[in-house]
């Protein structure tokens, strides 16, 4: 059974705080790691796709890193804003074109 | 990014009825679509892989006769929950994969069976 684990399950931060979440995955049979941002009543929005060990991706105040050897990825949000409030999902690809294996998500709440 | 629509967004039905959920890729052709289900506080769990023009591939433990999947065109896949029961109440979400490997999700359907 392949498990993708995310921590923490939820967290609450103040506007302006920087924060990070963890995604751990089995390092065997790894093809790619995806991060999604999911707001209530909307489609999950793709943030990053990473495939290579040591990959780092950045989009505005959000960035992510990947360590395929030890099986983890970090998502960082710098200077959190209320609009960053959402559930952040990570998902693993075992091979190209297949379905993703998801973690349970980290729900972020940012207070102004 | 590409857009995937899903309809309806929410449905409430009586036990024993069948419910059809549509998943459409609006601006790209998807030879493969996926159907996931999410129970409260759980991960999105893959139910089946829908392939255009062929039978769907179901994950272990998912009844193919209960969850009928039809992928008749490159832009539409449907999931029909037949003879729905309260235990089928869940959040159902589809995704479509572009040839370039990016996967896009619909907004999901909340099914409540009374």
């Amino acid at each position: 059974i392949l498990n993708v684990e995310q921590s923490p399950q939820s967290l609450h931060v103040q506007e302006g705080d920087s924060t990070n979440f963890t995604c751990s995955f089995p390092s065997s049979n790894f093809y790619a790691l995806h991060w999604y941002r999911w707001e209530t009543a909307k489609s999950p929005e793709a943030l990053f796709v990473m495939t290579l060990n040591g990959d780092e991706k950045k989009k505005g105040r959000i960035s992510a890193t990947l360590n395929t050897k030890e099986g983890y990825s970090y998502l960082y949000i710098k200077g959190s804003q209320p609009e960053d409030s959402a559930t952040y999902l990570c998902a693993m690809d075992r091979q190209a074109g297949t379905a993703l294996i998801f973690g349970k998500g980290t729900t972020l709440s940012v207070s102004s | 990014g590409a857009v995937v629509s899903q309809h309806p967004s929410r449905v409430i039905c009586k036990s024993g009825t069948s419910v059809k959920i549509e998943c459409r890729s609006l601006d790209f052709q998807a030879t493969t679509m996926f159907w996931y289900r999410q129970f409260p506080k759980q991960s999105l769990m893959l139910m089946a892989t829908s392939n255009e023009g062929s039978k769907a591939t179901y994950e272990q433990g998912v009844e193919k006769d209960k969850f009928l999947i039809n992928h008749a065109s490159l832009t539409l896949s449907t999931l029909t929950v037949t003879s729905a029961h309260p235990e089928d109440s869940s959040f159902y979400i589809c995704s479509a994969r572009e040839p370039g490997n990016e996967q896009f999700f619909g907004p999901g359907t909340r099914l409540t069976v009374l």
Side-chain angles (χ1 to χ4, degrees), chain A residues 4 9 31 34 36 38 41-44 46 49 89 93-100 102-104, chain B residues 4 32 34 36 38 41-46 49 59 91 93 97 101-108:
Chain A
V4 175
Q9 182 177 343
Y31 179 77
H34 300 247
Y36 288 86
W38 195 6
K42 296 184 178 179
S43 305
V49 181
L89 299 173
D93 245 328
R94 289 167 292 173
Q95 64 184 66
T98 61
L100 299 175
F102 282 88
K104 294 182 181 181
Chain B
V4 175
T32 303
F34 303 99
Y36 296 84
Q38 185 185 37
K41 299 188 184 301
Q42 299 299 312
S43 311
L44 290 172
M45 296 297 294
L46 180 67
T49 301
E59 294 299 297
F91 184 80
I93 191 168
R97 198 130 200 189
N101 217 34
E102 194 68 55
Q103 187 162 162
F104 298 94
F105 285 84

Side-chain angles (χ1 to χ4, degrees), chain A residues 53-69:
Chain A
N53 185 46
D55 260 355
E56 292 188 28
K57 295 276 180 90
K58 186 176 181 180
K59 182 185 290 188
R61 294 179 291 100
I62 304 176
S63 60
T65 61
L66 178 67
N67 182 320
T68 60
K69 292 183 179 179

Side-chain angles (χ1 to χ4, degrees), chain A residues 8 28 54 81 105:
Chain A
S28 60
Q81 299 296 310

Side-chain angles (χ1 to χ4, degrees), chain B residues 6-46:
Chain B
Q6 195 171 331
H7 178 80
S9 59
R10 185 182 296 270
V11 59
I12 300 172
C13 68
K14 292 182 179 180
S15 184
T17 60
S18 293
V19 176
K20 180 186 282 189
I21 303 170
E22 293 186 347
C23 178
R24 293 181 185 273
S25 58
L26 299 183
D27 51 2
F28 67 99
Q29 294 183 329
T31 54
T32 303
M33 291 184 176
F34 303 99
W35 287 96
Y36 296 84
R37 179 170 54 184
Q38 185 185 37
F39 292 108
K41 299 188 184 301
Q42 299 299 312
S43 311
L44 290 172
M45 296 297 294
L46 180 67

